[in-house]
Amino acid sequence: MKKTKINIDYLSFPQEITTFLFKAEIYDSSCSELAKVYYIDKNQGCFLKIATAGALKTECLMHEYFHSLNLTTAVLFYQTIGDKDYLITEKVSGEDCTHYLNEPERLCDSIAINLRKLHDYPFADCPIQNRITDYVNSVFNGHAKGKYEYDLFEGLWEFSSILSAWDAAKEGMQSLERNTLMHGDYCLPNIILNNWKFSGFIDLGRGGVGDRHIDILWGIWTLKYNLGTAKYTDYFIDAYGRDMIDREKLRCIAAMEMFGE
């Protein structure tokens, strides 16, 4: 996770936030146009995320839920102030998995095993019980707007045409299940290890009850993207549990993601 030290104007932040910022070194850690993220280097450290009003409500709920399962740190503050959401969470001890690329097979084992453990958690009290409806709506909305990232899964799942991809996406929509507690954005930067020991998950705004194959798909993609090769795909699948994975469903979900917003 990148961190760029910056100077800030305290008066540009709501009074409720300045308590956290006062006498702290501040770093810009943003990686998306949809939200600003600041690392506040004070005491044990924390992260401040700012987005449009209401945009971080689900992330707050899921972060609190994952914290109740000892899968991440605590939420320190959440509030909608004016037209913006402000979410502050404790720093997870350690480094994200992009810092462990020098041992790819060990990394595959780690993220596959930790994902399987997550998927084995009971989820009856999860605050977001249906991630599938939002997921499917995102695909339909993206398709209606003409979105199609044909090269998103290059070297993993490819389609001969936009029509064949859309046919696979529609097939995938019919197969999605709500039977797993999922992360929703299972990529290396969102998995924190402390000297190879699992420390916690971050960026949980797409989490909830859904289909395990969505997380598995992104686990495969993130290894290929960060390691520059697809050679570890089967290694990851074996470490997770090949008997739990439907390869055709992965292909259809890849098609859905090509259209999704």
Side-chain angles (χ1 to χ4, degrees):
M1 181 180 295
K2 69 174 185 177
K3 296 188 182 101
T4 304
K5 189 174 182 180
I6 59 172
N7 295 315
I8 62 168
D9 176 10
Y10 290 96
L11 296 178
S12 66
F13 291 86
Q15 185 176 358
E16 296 90 335
I17 302 297
T18 55
T19 301
F20 294 93
L21 301 174
F22 186 63
K23 291 187 177 180
E25 292 188 337
I26 310 298
Y27 297 80
D28 190 335
S29 190
S30 305
C31 59
S32 168
E33 296 179 356
L34 300 178
K36 291 293 294 183
V37 179
Y38 300 99
Y39 175 60
I40 303 172
D41 190 6
K42 184 168 71 172
N43 300 325
Q44 300 303 310
C46 59
F47 285 91
L48 164 64
K49 181 176 284 191
I50 306 173
T52 56
L56 301 179
K57 181 178 180 180
T58 296
E59 181 163 355
C60 178
L61 288 172
M62 288 306 301
H63 201 103
E64 290 176 331
Y65 182 64
F66 270 55
H67 176 58
S68 74
L69 301 175
N70 295 316
L71 294 174
T72 194
T73 52
V75 172
L76 300 177
F77 180 90
Y78 171 69
Q79 193 171 330
T80 301
I81 304 173
D83 62 350
K84 294 180 181 178
D85 266 13
Y86 297 84
L87 174 65
I88 301 179
T89 56
E90 291 178 331
K91 177 187 176 183
V92 179
S93 178
E95 299 286 352
D96 71 66
C97 282
T98 62
H99 291 77
Y100 294 84
L101 300 177
N102 59 323
E103 295 186 56
E105 291 185 356
R106 189 176 182 185
L107 179 62
C108 285
D109 275 338
S110 177
I111 70 167
I113 290 169
N114 284 315
L115 182 59
R116 180 62 183 268
K117 287 179 179 178
L118 170 63
H119 289 169
D120 286 341
Y121 271 85
F123 51 81
D125 55 348
C126 177
I128 308 298
Q129 283 289 317
N130 185 357
R131 256 302 172 200
I132 299 305
T133 298
D134 289 342
Y135 189 79
V136 170
N137 286 341
S138 171
V139 177
F140 274 114
N141 291 340
H143 180 260
K145 295 175 182 177
K147 180 185 176 185
Y148 177 55
E149 294 184 74
Y150 69 92
D151 58 349
L152 181 60
F153 297 105
E154 187 175 9
L156 292 169
W157 299 279
E158 298 179 43
F159 299 87
S160 59
S161 67
I162 187 172
L163 181 60
S164 64
W166 183 238
D167 285 342
K170 289 186 291 184
E171 179 184 339
M173 293 177 200
Q174 304 302 316
S175 68
L176 294 177
E177 300 174 89
R178 291 191 297 113
N179 58 7
T180 306
L181 175 61
M182 48 179 274
H183 181 284
D185 190 12
Y186 198 72
C187 298
L188 296 188
N190 296 335
I191 310 159
I192 312 299
L193 304 179
N194 194 346
N195 194 24
W196 286 105
K197 182 179 179 181
F198 174 75
S199 193
F201 297 121
I202 61 172
D203 287 346
L204 298 161
R206 295 183 180 180
V209 180
D211 195 305
R212 70 177 68 240
H213 290 79
I214 297 171
D215 280 345
I216 292 168
L217 174 102
W218 286 112
I220 292 170
W221 176 87
T222 196
L223 288 170
K224 195 259 184 182
Y225 178 83
N226 286 281
L227 293 172
T229 175
K231 65 183 282 188
Y232 296 102
T233 296
D234 283 328
Y235 196 99
F236 174 86
I237 288 173
D238 286 336
Y240 179 91
R242 185 175 292 271
D243 60 311
M244 299 296 294
I245 298 175
D246 181 336
R247 297 292 288 260
E248 179 59 22
K249 181 181 279 194
L250 285 178
R251 177 180 175 274
C252 291
I253 293 175
M256 293 174 68
E257 291 284 359
M258 291 177 182
F259 295 99
E261 290 186 305

